Amino acid sequence: MGIFKSLKGSHPDTLGGSGSQSNDETNRSQPQSSQIYTPPSGPPLHQQRSQDNPFVSLPSQPLSPPPHQVPDVEPPPYHDWTVIEDTALLPPPPSLRYDASPSGNASPSDADRAHEWCRARPLIKPHQPLQAQHDTVKFGNLRLIRPLEFQGDLSMQSPGFWRGSTNQRSRDSCLLSSLPLYFAIADSPFNTVRKKVIYFEVKILWVGGNNGADESSLALGYCALPYPTWRMPGWERGSLAVHADDGRRYVNNTWGGKDFTSSVQEGETIGLGMTFDIPDSPPEYREVPAEEVKLKVDVFFTRNGKPSGGWNLHEELDAQDDLGVDGLDGLFDLYGAVGTFGDVKFEAAFSSRDWLWQPVNPES
């Protein structure tokens, strides 16, 4: 209240008060004068009030920025991105993900059943194979295991070379190799200090029948076990594949995959491989704990014996759309997988003697 009383006493004409009546009487009793009076100069600068708010005092001197202070600790150095002369050296951006395939799609009930099945069955931990098992894979003498969902014929033409056919009523099915093409313990570059390459080929002899090519097709890929064999490879966790009908690649992707290549036609031979290698040394400005170091994993695709694209398993991931690469990063055994639906005829080759593509270093 003291503040308001002081203001009222100091500015009677502005705020009103007991002194306003006496002033009016004095002005009426005295004659008007033509003399012009100069208004008072106002309070000193250090007591000057803001025009917008009379309760706020303005500083006597204009404000200035605080003096510059040198930090006690130098900031971390930035990476010199100018050393990158060409954007082609940067990792490619993630491919767009689709919610559905333009060709055949499984029913939602099959997908829900597979998701629940996978949640109840974690991936099997890798084991050390017998030398005879490792040699069998090395020479490509593998068998294709026929699942219950497979409706058709399957026969071995020679060691590691298989021929199969399905009928129009065949639903999605996934045939798996009898042994892993990649043993996580025996083949890991962290243990062998050398790169590991796995690969196999499939030739499409017939697609479609009376149903049309959009209702019959084939896929080739890799799966970690256990895997729901009523689902195409690439659709569930621990799997990747390239599908011949839409040419898209699927990596743990239950939706519509990502653009990769054109659709595969009858008579074509396609191959899918993976390379596992020790990662490049991390940059000096970044320290990575040893337990977080991951293998460098690349996927490559061939068409009629010639390289036809590929991708890095870790680089081309989208944090919002992709479900990760669990089971595919070299920590689990990986089996060859051939997926079929509808009316198809095919040949599968696990031995290098039957491949159109010939690796540069077949011993890897």
Side-chain angles (χ1 to χ4, degrees):
M1 293 297 296
I3 295 177
F4 287 96
K5 289 180 179 179
S6 175
L7 290 173
K8 288 179 181 181
S10 302
H11 305 278
D13 294 336
T14 303
L15 300 178
S18 59
S20 60
Q21 183 178 359
S22 60
N23 290 339
D24 294 340
E25 294 176 355
T26 302
N27 293 335
R28 288 195 298 269
S29 63
Q30 296 181 356
Q32 296 290 335
S33 174
S34 61
Q35 184 176 0
I36 299 175
Y37 294 93
T38 303
S41 60
L45 182 61
H46 67 277
Q47 295 180 351
Q48 184 177 353
R49 302 287 177 176
S50 169
Q51 295 180 357
D52 297 331
N53 190 344
F55 300 102
V56 178
S57 297
L58 298 176
S60 58
Q61 299 295 334
L63 295 175
S64 60
H68 175 69
Q69 297 182 355
V70 179
D72 297 333
V73 180
E74 289 294 329
Y78 291 100
H79 177 67
D80 186 10
W81 290 107
T82 60
V83 300
I84 301 178
E85 300 178 356
D86 191 345
T87 56
L89 300 178
L90 296 172
S95 302
L96 295 177
R97 175 183 71 82
Y98 293 93
D99 292 330
S101 170
S103 52
N105 290 284
S107 66
S109 61
D110 283 347
D112 294 340
R113 182 163 61 101
H115 300 340
E116 186 63 30
W117 190 92
C118 289
R119 282 192 291 267
R121 296 165 176 82
L123 295 176
I124 299 174
K125 295 182 179 180
H127 64 278
Q128 180 68 40
L130 300 175
Q131 186 61 46
Q133 294 173 322
H134 202 262
D135 291 342
T136 297
V137 176
K138 179 179 179 181
F139 294 111
N141 298 334
L142 293 172
R143 302 178 64 87
L144 271 179
I145 305 301
R146 176 175 178 160
L148 295 176
E149 297 81 10
F150 183 81
Q151 298 177 343
D153 298 322
L154 183 65
S155 61
M156 184 175 65
Q157 305 301 302
S158 62
F161 186 77
W162 291 77
R163 182 172 295 160
S165 63
T166 59
N167 55 49
Q168 296 179 7
R169 297 182 301 275
S170 295
R171 303 184 64 180
D172 299 338
S173 65
C174 182
L175 294 83
L176 297 170
S177 60
S178 55
L179 288 172
L181 275 71
Y182 172 82
F183 292 99
I185 295 179
D187 296 329
S188 172
F190 286 141
N191 299 330
T192 64
V193 197
R194 60 181 299 184
K195 179 172 65 175
K196 176 63 179 179
V197 180
I198 61 176
Y199 177 84
F200 74 101
E201 290 182 350
V202 168
K203 182 176 182 178
I204 300 180
L205 304 176
W206 169 265
V207 175
N210 296 328
N211 287 340
D214 61 336
E215 297 182 13
S216 303
S217 192
L218 180 144
L220 76 164
Y222 296 94
C223 297
L225 297 187
Y227 192 81
T229 53
W230 67 91
R231 297 284 283 169
M232 296 286 280
W235 282 355
E236 300 300 331
R237 60 93 203 268
S239 70
L240 63 82
V242 174
H243 289 208
D245 58 338
D246 54 19
R248 293 178 181 175
R249 59 181 173 92
Y250 294 74
V251 181
N252 295 351
N253 188 314
T254 191
W255 298 287
K258 295 183 178 182
D259 288 333
F260 178 63
T261 187
S262 59
S263 59
V264 184
Q265 306 301 317
E266 292 179 3
E268 287 195 281
T269 298
I270 54 177
L272 192 67
M274 298 180 68
T275 63
F276 303 84
D277 204 354
I278 296 176
D280 299 331
S281 299
E284 295 180 357
Y285 63 88
R286 179 183 177 187
E287 295 182 359
V288 180
E291 63 272 11
E292 296 183 10
V293 177
K294 300 178 181 179
L295 286 173
K296 181 181 179 181
V297 183
D298 290 298
V299 185
F300 64 96
F301 180 73
T302 68
R303 203 159 185 161
N304 299 319
K306 298 180 180 180
S308 184
W311 70 92
N312 180 278
L313 189 67
H314 296 289
E315 287 183 351
E316 296 188 40
L317 289 178
D318 189 293
Q320 296 181 351
D321 291 336
D322 293 319
L323 299 179
V325 293
D326 293 342
L328 300 169
D329 51 3
L331 301 179
F332 292 87
D333 297 342
L334 288 177
Y335 293 72
V338 178
T340 64
F341 69 91
D343 186 7
V344 295
K345 294 181 181 180
F346 65 92
E347 293 175 344
F350 293 99
S351 175
S352 60
R353 62 181 175 268
D354 299 315
W355 297 342
L356 295 183
W357 174 77
Q358 293 300 316
V360 177
N361 183 12
E363 297 299 325
S364 62

